[in-house]
Amino acid sequence: MPRRTRLLLGLAAVGIAGVLAYVYGWRGPARHVPGAEAYTVVANLDDFFDPQVLRVAVGTEVEFESRGQNPHTVTADDGSFDSGTLVHGDEFSHRFDRPGVYAFTCILHGKAGGIGMTGVVVVGDVPLPSKPGAAFGVGPGRETAPTGTGATIRVPADEPTIQAAVNASAPGDLVLVAPGEYHESVLVRTPFLTIRGEDRNTTILDGELKRPNGIAVIEADGVAIENLTARHYALNGFYWRDVFGYRGSYLTAYANGDYGVYAFGSRYGRFEHSYASGHPDSGFYIGQCKPCYAVIDDVESAENGLGYSGTNAGGDLAIVNSRWHDNMAGLVPNTLDSEGLAPQAGALIKWNRVYGNNRLDVPAKHYPYAVWGIGIVIAGGRDNEVRENVVVDHATYGIAVMPIIDEQFWTSGGNTVRDNSVSHSGVADLAFGGPGGGRDCFIGNQHDTSMPPGLESVMGCGVPFGRLGGGGLDVTIGSLLTRYIETFDDSYPHGDWKTWPAPKGQTQMPDALTAGATPAVPETAVPGAYVQLNRDNEAILLDPQPREVTIMAIPLDNTPWGLVLGLYGYVFPLVLLAVWISIALWDLTRREDLTSRRRLTWIAVVLVVPFLGPVLYFALGRTAIPRSTWLMLVVGGLVVYLGLAAAAALLAAG
């Protein structure tokens, strides 16, 4: 099938799915979301399990999927289950019907007792062992912070490895790591530890492209990690999961296979004074928390797929004082059905410098390519505030608010874009893509272009009826869909995280050698306060912005067909709505079979309910208009709209 034909069919399918999802609330095929169903997945990779530690409810069926190139087994340490040898593509399932802690091993690449390729499934509300033969607390968020000063365990003076030091530690201790390369993947299950490097740039955890995570903190509350570098891990540099209290300070993560600095399902946290580059997902990530009670303050994220990605994260979540540049896209808080607590809502993005997120040679999974060239995009999020940021030099949009399609069609709603300085954007500095859920608004922003034009007038925060939703589809949004479709067969530009170069040396933690342990005690130590940093001496120098002549945000230097299709595709939804309303009102005024009350009710429905009002009348109002005629109006109009969108996208794709 020719490439353009495939793109056309794919775009039409995406568009139709979006319309169905929006109109009928279609949820799509069921997916296996941990916590939502009695089913979850563990991946067998080379040579580790992902996740290494999994907590599930009693009665959950866990499916082990062999995704590595080598053969593996899933063998319970107590002999209760055994998959036999699995090769790439094989699956093995086991149902966990009793509470307990179930350790398992790949006997080809490990041994029972936590040696080599091993994992743990924790079933029910039982404690997760902090180390062999010991347990603590009764679950995340319930441990009591230690009082007094703990011991200092030095690596390698006291213990030969970081993992050995962690295993020998107690809550409140400091693990202090001397400079050197440490070829290990550290799993932390003891709460309220502080793990610190003596030198940020030369105390390095190296995964050698085969280990899962640099340091993974699983259900261990209050763990702080400081002044370290993690590189060449197959998954993440630094990772906290299901914890209550966490902090990452003066960290460097680069050239890891997923995220740099990452917290999931956790509350009361802080990332600060840290750097991330060369990650195919995002440099920094906080996901699946509501409220999060978290702060990202004074970090730098460069040369990643996304600078920041926060799926279903918000509520007392502040992203401030940081630099996001030279990624494929900048900051992307988003809603997805594949994680819990949807929709994303309630994040503050403030005092950031966001520039030049247009790179196509950086490591990236498929979804960063779909939003390439956008500085800040709220994708299906609600009640976020984007304010007082400097957003410069983006190929498509500076700041955009738009819906997102996953299993459901998630519209934006209640987002405020205020007092930002936005310039040098390829299509529009400010953009709103509909349909929206209402209450989105733009006010006080320094900008040159917007889409729709006059955005702060039609969707200003103080404009009556100006926050009802809406939006359109132009050539550029069509090209976003085209890029998304192109990723289906991995034919999109991106670099390789495995060969990404090291960054320059980063700022050291003050008093790293002398400061005592500083655990991340929830509400007391984290998330902590933040204030605006002075960045007046960090001007972003660009050539003067060309004053491009546009009509409705479509540049006149476009091709003639691109200009026509872009303009027509943009205004067509309004034209279509006007036609539907006019015909419905004409029919209502001429009908003699309706009572005055019923006529007024239908008129109100047609006028007040956007788009669906006239459609409901055609379908349910017993109109005299022939069924074939109104079906042609509704279905045919939508088909024409999708055709325009597809044609515009094809032109944009070149």
Side-chain angles (χ1 to χ4, degrees):
M1 183 181 295
R3 180 172 180 269
R4 287 183 176 268
T5 303
R6 287 191 288 113
L7 289 175
L8 178 61
L9 292 176
L11 182 57
V14 170
I16 292 170
V19 172
L20 290 174
Y22 182 61
V23 174
Y24 297 108
W26 178 62
R27 296 184 62 86
R31 293 183 64 178
H32 306 305
V33 181
E37 301 176 10
Y39 186 97
T40 192
V41 171
V42 173
N44 312 345
L45 300 169
D46 297 330
D47 285 317
F48 55 88
F49 295 101
D50 180 29
Q52 297 169 284
V53 179
L54 175 68
R55 182 179 289 274
V56 299
V58 175
T60 297
E61 182 178 0
V62 176
E63 181 174 282
F64 298 85
E65 297 180 352
S66 191
R67 301 178 186 173
Q69 299 305 310
N70 299 322
H72 298 291
T73 76
V74 182
T75 306
D77 286 7
D78 63 5
S80 58
F81 55 87
D82 185 7
S83 67
T85 301
L86 305 173
V87 298
H88 182 81
D90 287 348
E91 298 175 351
F92 166 73
S93 295
H94 181 76
R95 182 181 176 92
F96 292 87
D97 290 321
R98 294 182 180 179
V101 179
Y102 298 86
F104 57 91
T105 303
C106 169
I107 61 175
L108 302 178
H109 302 96
K111 295 181 181 180
I115 300 172
M117 184 175 174
T118 62
V120 176
V121 175
V122 184
V123 183
D125 189 14
V126 299
L128 173 67
S130 57
K131 46 186 174 287
F136 65 86
V138 291
R142 301 183 185 179
E143 292 83 12
T144 301
T147 58
T149 302
T152 297
I153 303 173
R154 298 179 181 273
V155 180
D158 299 324
E159 295 288 347
T161 65
I162 303 172
Q163 186 67 68
V166 168
N167 291 346
S169 66
D173 287 353
L174 168 65
V175 174
L176 188 60
V177 187
E181 285 192 16
Y182 296 85
H183 299 149
E184 54 181 311
S185 183
V186 181
L187 181 61
V188 181
R189 291 180 281 178
T190 301
F192 299 108
L193 292 183
T194 301
I195 304 173
R196 181 188 304 155
E198 293 184 4
D199 186 294
R200 175 179 178 178
N201 299 308
T202 60
T203 306
I204 301 171
L205 290 89
D206 192 322
E208 299 179 299
L209 306 179
K210 62 184 181 181
R211 294 179 177 86
N213 303 289
I215 300 180
V217 183
I218 309 297
E219 294 191 13
D221 297 345
V223 174
I225 307 175
E226 304 169 338
N227 215 44
L228 290 165
T229 291
R231 69 185 183 196
H232 301 160
Y233 285 90
L235 295 178
N236 313 295
F238 303 98
Y239 175 37
W240 291 258
R241 184 184 179 106
D242 298 328
V243 304
F244 197 78
Y246 62 92
R247 179 170 54 80
S249 304
Y250 296 95
L251 300 177
T252 299
Y254 74 92
N256 299 294
D258 209 357
Y259 300 95
V261 185
Y262 176 24
F264 182 84
S266 302
R267 291 189 292 166
Y268 289 100
R270 186 179 187 92
F271 295 149
E272 61 183 359
H273 316 311
S274 295
Y275 176 91
S277 65
H279 298 96
D281 205 300
S282 61
F284 293 85
Y285 180 95
I286 292 177
Q288 193 176 292
C289 52
K290 192 186 295 180
C292 296
Y293 304 119
V295 170
I296 298 177
D297 189 1
D298 189 29
V299 305
E300 183 175 2
S301 185
E303 302 172 350
N304 306 282
L306 302 174
Y308 166 82
S309 173
T311 299
N312 302 351
D316 285 309
L317 170 61
I319 304 166
V320 297
N321 292 317
S322 298
R323 288 158 290 190
W324 315 88
H325 64 94
D326 294 292
N327 304 286
M328 195 168 280
L331 292 95
V332 190
N334 60 86
T335 297
L336 290 175
D337 296 283
S338 54
E339 294 183 10
L341 304 181
Q344 184 277 328
L348 172 67
I349 301 174
K350 188 175 183 180
W351 302 328
N352 296 281
R353 302 176 76 78
V354 186
Y355 53 96
N357 293 287
N358 306 309
R359 294 281 292 271
L360 288 173
D361 62 334
V362 296
K365 296 182 178 179
H366 63 279
Y367 35 86
Y369 181 60
V371 291
W372 165 78
I374 305 180
I376 302 173
V377 54
I378 307 295
R382 313 284 174 84
D383 301 317
N384 299 288
E385 188 169 6
V386 182
R387 63 181 302 172
E388 300 174 53
N389 303 283
V390 177
V391 184
V392 178
D393 186 26
H394 292 97
T396 53
Y397 303 123
I399 302 176
V401 178
M402 59 183 62
I404 191 171
I405 301 174
D406 192 16
E407 292 172 18
Q408 302 181 75
F409 187 78
W410 293 97
T411 60
S412 62
N415 300 290
T416 300
V417 179
R418 176 190 296 268
D419 300 331
N420 301 281
S421 176
V422 192
S423 63
H424 290 77
S425 304
V427 176
D429 293 331
L430 303 178
F432 179 79
R439 300 181 301 107
D440 293 300
C441 72
F442 298 73
I443 189 171
N445 299 284
Q446 298 178 21
H447 68 288
D448 293 306
T449 57
S450 69
M451 191 184 72
L455 183 58
E456 291 199 346
S457 297
V458 299
M459 294 190 66
C461 298
V463 177
F465 308 111
R467 304 178 65 182
L468 297 178
L473 182 64
D474 77 333
V475 172
T476 303
I477 295 180
S479 68
L480 298 183
L481 292 174
T482 301
R483 285 198 297 274
Y484 178 71
I485 294 166
E486 287 178 339
T487 65
F488 290 172
D489 57 2
D490 291 331
S491 59
Y492 62 98
H494 61 285
D496 186 355
W497 66 271
K498 296 179 180 179
T499 58
W500 203 253
K504 66 180 182 181
Q506 300 294 311
T507 303
Q508 297 284 344
M509 174 184 173
D511 304 322
L513 297 176
T514 58
T518 52
V521 180
E523 299 182 87
T524 301
V526 288
Y530 55 87
V531 296
Q532 183 175 9
L533 299 179
N534 181 5
R535 298 206 183 280
D536 291 343
N537 61 340
E538 297 181 11
I540 302 171
L541 301 177
L542 294 174
D543 294 332
Q545 184 171 8
R547 309 300 292 189
E548 187 172 55
V549 181
T550 64
I551 299 178
M552 298 188 74
I554 309 299
L556 286 180
D557 63 358
N558 203 343
T559 63
W561 273 111
L563 179 62
V564 171
L565 288 172
L567 289 172
Y568 194 39
Y570 191 85
V571 302
F572 191 81
L574 297 178
V575 173
L576 192 61
L577 177 60
V579 170
W580 288 353
I581 291 176
S582 299
I583 292 175
L585 292 179
W586 170 80
D587 187 62
L588 280 166
T589 56
R590 62 187 289 273
R591 287 179 60 178
E592 298 179 355
D593 60 320
L594 296 177
T595 64
S596 296
R597 181 176 180 180
R598 188 172 179 84
R599 191 190 317 275
L600 290 174
T601 299
W602 274 117
I603 289 174
V605 169
V606 168
L607 292 175
V608 172
V609 182
F611 286 95
L612 288 181
V615 174
L616 288 173
Y617 171 68
F618 294 143
L620 304 176
R622 298 182 180 179
T623 173
I625 299 173
R627 180 181 178 86
S628 59
T629 301
W630 68 258
L631 277 175
M632 180 60 69
L633 283 171
V634 175
V635 179
L638 291 175
V639 169
V640 170
Y641 179 48
L642 293 173
L644 289 169
L650 289 175
L651 283 176

